[in-house]
Amino acid sequence: MIKWGAAAMALGLVHLAAPAQAAGGKTLETVKARGVLNCTGHDGSYLGFAEVDDKGNWKGMDIDLCKAVATAVFGDPAKLKVVPISWAQRWPSLQSGDVDIIIKASGGTLSRDTELGLQFSMSYYLGTTKVMAHKELNLKSLKDANGGTICIPAGTSQEQQVAAYSAELGIKLEPVLIEKTEELEQAYFSGRCDLYAQWGPTLAIARIAKSRVEDHVILPDVLAVEPEVMIMRQGDDNWVDIANWTLSTLIFAEQEGITSKNVDEIKAKPTSPQVAKFLGVTPGMGKGLGLSDDWAYNVIKKVGNYGEIFERDLGKDSPYKMDRELTNLWNNGGVLFPLVID
């Protein structure tokens, strides 16, 4: 048995009791010095997640998450530069420093972690990979599609998911790989492909956007469940912390009923010690991250909570009217939960 000397034990206790020092990693320093956050867009329109409106402004869930991170750092969602990139450009753009964070419907996978040197946030959207088919083909499931052609977004995890699932079913499908979403959807809706494999929300949105709901069926097969995450370079834990706490802030605010409309009222009269700290009434929310103590208040005031973002971009207040399904709070049948504020 190892015996600890009194001095060593005392030193250990002092170390354990030492308060966290003000943080600030290299990425945060770079972003602050630049004066703007460089975050991912899309090379075209990825409806509901990253698209450009008729006034030339970016909008969508991924864009709003970019705005939330920019607000956490600067207190201003306008301190954001959206960099349009393709699926294949995501990783080189991050590694080269052209973007500071990837928020682009991207899944957390083993190879991206261990081979590409990436780090992930908690999941902000739990999506399934599914397949849409022309209704006239009268397919009941993907097993009925043996020998068919299938449109797949190039440079994404869907390629491997389709290959693995079709092998499991014992069928052969001819892949048509196209990178740009608009071109991919054009190929499918024009009849070049029998099937269209994509992230489930994207299929649902595409079918609605084309006003072709009755002509296309989303098959019951679930090829994969993929947690969509914010992605950073490895080696800067502070930046990963900022991403995670920004996401947690959006979820915590929804859980506590704090919205962009009532946040000032709740800040004036906090409902709990945790809420007081969360909104910067009492200190401690920002120091360990290298941010101001009112950063979470700014995020909710200027961007909204998670529910507000979802409904605005994908849900009832959007053209797509999507249900939240699994991407709901833990206490409302979903999988989202915040980290603990103590």
Side-chain angles (χ1 to χ4, degrees):
M1 179 181 292
I2 297 174
K3 294 183 179 180
W4 292 86
M9 185 176 291
L11 181 60
L13 291 174
V14 169
H15 176 72
L16 288 172
Q21 299 301 308
K26 291 183 179 179
T27 306
L28 178 60
E29 293 173 4
T30 299
V31 171
K32 283 183 173 180
R34 188 194 304 127
V36 66
L37 174 76
N38 291 342
C39 195
T40 44
H42 190 59
D43 59 340
S45 290
Y46 199 61
L47 299 179
F49 291 88
E51 56 181 294
V52 180
D53 65 18
D54 54 6
K55 296 180 181 179
N57 299 312
W58 283 94
K59 66 177 185 176
M61 186 168 206
D62 288 346
I63 301 301
D64 273 340
L65 292 177
C66 289
K67 289 179 179 179
V69 176
T71 305
V73 174
F74 296 108
D76 184 357
K79 298 282 188 177
L80 170 67
K81 178 182 179 182
V82 177
V83 182
I85 60 174
S86 69
W87 298 113
Q89 289 174 317
R90 285 174 293 177
W91 323 134
S93 295
L94 181 64
Q95 299 291 16
S96 68
D98 290 341
V99 296
D100 304 306
I101 187 170
I102 295 171
I103 308 178
K104 185 179 165 65
S106 300
T109 73
L110 176 66
S111 63
R112 290 172 182 175
D113 182 4
T114 61
E115 298 174 20
L116 298 181
L118 306 175
Q119 281 187 280
F120 312 137
S121 72
M122 302 186 303
S123 175
Y124 68 85
Y125 198 109
L126 186 61
T128 55
T129 299
K130 305 200 77 174
V131 174
M132 184 159 63
H134 298 276
K135 191 174 183 178
E136 62 188 19
L137 297 176
N138 198 31
L139 303 178
K140 302 302 181 186
S141 71
L142 193 59
K143 192 171 184 177
D144 300 329
N146 190 30
T149 54
I150 183 165
C151 281
I152 310 171
T156 69
S157 56
Q158 275 92 14
E159 291 183 52
Q160 293 77 27
Q161 292 165 359
V162 169
Y165 193 79
S166 57
E168 181 181 329
L169 293 177
I171 64 173
K172 290 187 177 180
L173 298 173
E174 180 184 342
V176 177
L177 303 176
I178 301 173
E179 190 168 274
K180 286 193 174 183
T181 305
E182 290 91 343
E183 295 174 8
L184 184 69
E185 292 182 356
Q186 174 62 25
Y188 169 74
F189 284 109
S190 68
R192 180 179 170 188
C193 302
D194 301 313
L195 309 160
Y196 179 20
Q198 252 285 16
W199 199 32
T202 305
L203 291 181
I205 288 172
R207 191 170 62 162
I208 293 169
K210 296 290 184 181
S211 301
R212 303 278 290 277
V213 174
E214 300 302 321
D215 297 332
H216 303 271
V217 58
I218 297 176
L219 300 178
D221 304 76
V222 176
L223 279 63
V225 176
E226 184 175 89
E228 310 309 319
V229 294
M230 296 185 268
I231 300 180
M232 291 69 62
R233 293 177 290 271
Q234 284 186 2
D236 192 342
D237 289 345
N238 170 251
W239 192 236
V240 177
D241 286 344
I242 288 172
N244 270 322
W245 279 105
T246 299
L247 175 57
S248 190
T249 285
L250 302 174
I251 299 169
F252 178 81
E254 183 182 9
Q255 174 184 277
E256 299 301 313
I258 305 170
T259 71
S260 58
K261 295 180 176 61
N262 68 17
V263 65
D264 286 320
E265 177 184 344
I266 293 176
K267 185 177 181 180
K269 192 175 181 180
T271 54
S272 70
Q274 290 76 23
V275 168
K277 186 172 185 177
F278 175 71
L279 295 177
V281 177
T282 56
M285 190 66 183
K287 184 179 179 182
L289 296 171
L291 304 175
S292 65
D293 273 340
D294 64 350
W295 71 266
Y297 161 81
N298 289 329
V299 169
I300 303 307
K301 178 68 175 178
K302 299 177 182 180
V303 183
N305 68 31
Y306 187 97
E308 289 178 279
I309 291 172
F310 185 96
E311 299 301 351
R312 177 168 68 231
D313 295 326
L314 297 170
K316 63 184 180 182
D317 299 326
S318 78
Y320 313 119
K321 312 301 180 187
M322 290 184 61
D323 293 328
R324 286 181 64 171
E325 300 179 327
L326 288 176
T327 307
N328 213 324
L329 294 186
W330 64 274
N331 56 5
N332 200 24
V335 298
L336 295 183
F337 61 90
L339 298 173
V340 176
I341 296 172
D342 55 11

